[in-house]
Amino acid sequence: MTDVSGLSIAILGGTGDQGKGLARRFALAGHRVLIGSRSAQRARDAAASIGAGAAGGENAAVAAEADVVIVAVPYEGHRALLESLRAELAGKIVVDCVNPLGFDKQGAYALPVAEGSAAQQAAAVLPDSTVVAAFHHVSAVLLMDPAVDKVDLDVLVLGDDREATDIVQALAEAVPGVRGVYGGRLRNAQQIEAFTANLISINRRYKAHAGLRITDI
Ligand SMILES: NC(=O)c1ccc[n+]([C@@H]2O[C@H](COP(=O)([O-])OP(=O)(O)OC[C@H]3O[C@@H](n4cnc5c(N)ncnc54)[C@H](OP(=O)(O)O)[C@@H]3O)[C@@H](O)[C@H]2O)c1
């Protein structure tokens, strides 16, 4: 397994449920964690609520400082935020966990994305970064729950750069119980993002926080 112990991790939109949940688990695993926000004060407040040495700042500042940057903003703000951070994110691994979903009376459904997926949109907007797709199916509720000491799922990690997907697989395993599994090239990210709509339907029917496990590996 790749050694990722010294890597610092920034989370764009880290004031939201998903970003804070990931930040909490990475901070507990000993990583330096930087919460990003459009507001430095909101980021500092979120970091203080997590503790474990987490710090906060504006998205651009944390993106420039960290080794690895996770994108955890709603799909609506995804493209514009990444376009504004092209320089800060150049040369870095950018981990996209964004699920382009709509919601109506029938529940969640996948939105069409011109580039194919949110992850491919990130790669198109950030030609000087290495984009990896991961963490789409992990439940923010479980990540935040102090009573949950193990999160029972595989995190599928997709990308076109073997070294980068190895690093993100190892980072995923900072969350106790999680296994990082290579899930294919970035062009296959669309169905991983879209599958979250199915998981949301499962969660509603069974009152659960469902995750995926891949067998026979
Ligand atoms: N929640 C989950 O369980 C879960 C699981 C897997 C993946 N995801 C994905 O992770 C992403 C974040 O989910 P979430 O539930 O944490 O969302 P969220 O709470 O709605 O948003 C996260 C943060 O993004 C920032 N933000 C909101 N609108 C923005 C915009 N237009 N431009 C830039 N920043 C904006 C806000 O931070 P500031 O106002 O502080 O800037 C907000 O706190 C989504 O794409 C979602 O599909 C979520």
Side-chain angles (χ1 to χ4, degrees), residues 51-211:
E58 285 187 11
N59 285 320
V62 301
E65 192 179 333
D67 298 312
V68 173
V69 180
I70 298 178
V71 189
V73 297
Y75 175 60
E76 298 71 50
H78 180 255
R79 174 193 284 278
L81 179 68
L82 296 183
E83 279 173 348
S84 75
L85 298 178
R86 201 173 272 150
E88 290 83 352
L89 295 172
K92 304 202 176 194
I93 295 175
V94 175
V95 184
D96 205 292
C97 71
V98 170
N99 295 310
L101 297 178
F103 293 87
D104 64 15
K105 277 192 220 153
Q106 295 182 53
Y109 61 96
L111 296 173
V113 177
E115 294 83 354
S117 63
Q120 287 166 288
Q121 182 179 89
V125 168
L126 302 171
D128 301 323
S129 305
T130 304
V131 174
V132 173
F135 300 112
H136 303 87
H137 304 148
V138 66
S139 154
V141 174
L142 298 183
L143 291 173
M144 283 306 290
D145 188 342
V148 174
D149 52 10
K150 281 195 171 172
V151 181
D152 182 20
L153 89 161
D154 289 340
V155 164
L156 294 181
V157 178
L158 291 83
D160 298 334
D161 181 296
R162 175 72 188 256
E163 193 185 342
T165 56
D166 284 350
I167 286 171
V168 178
Q169 277 178 253
L171 282 177
E173 299 194 0
V175 183
V178 166
R179 184 174 63 158
V181 174
Y182 172 68
R185 298 286 185 136
L186 215 56
R187 68 182 181 177
N188 287 316
Q190 188 268 334
Q191 53 268 36
I192 301 303
E193 296 171 5
F195 184 69
T196 306
N198 302 76
L199 281 177
I200 289 170
S201 304
I202 292 166
N203 288 341
R204 286 187 177 170
R205 172 70 58 91
Y206 297 99
K207 311 272 179 272
H209 301 291

Side-chain angles (χ1 to χ4, degrees), residues 22-84:
L22 289 171
R24 174 171 176 273
R25 298 290 176 164
F26 288 132
L28 288 173
H31 290 282
R32 174 161 167 71
V33 170
L34 303 163
I35 299 266
S37 167
R38 291 168 293 182
S39 146
Q41 187 57 50
R42 274 202 299 278
R44 283 194 290 271
D45 291 346
S49 76
I50 288 164
E58 285 187 11
N59 285 320
V62 301
E65 192 179 333
D67 298 312
V68 173
V69 180
I70 298 178
V71 189
V73 297
Y75 175 60
E76 298 71 50
H78 180 255
R79 174 193 284 278
L81 179 68
L82 296 183
E83 279 173 348
S84 75

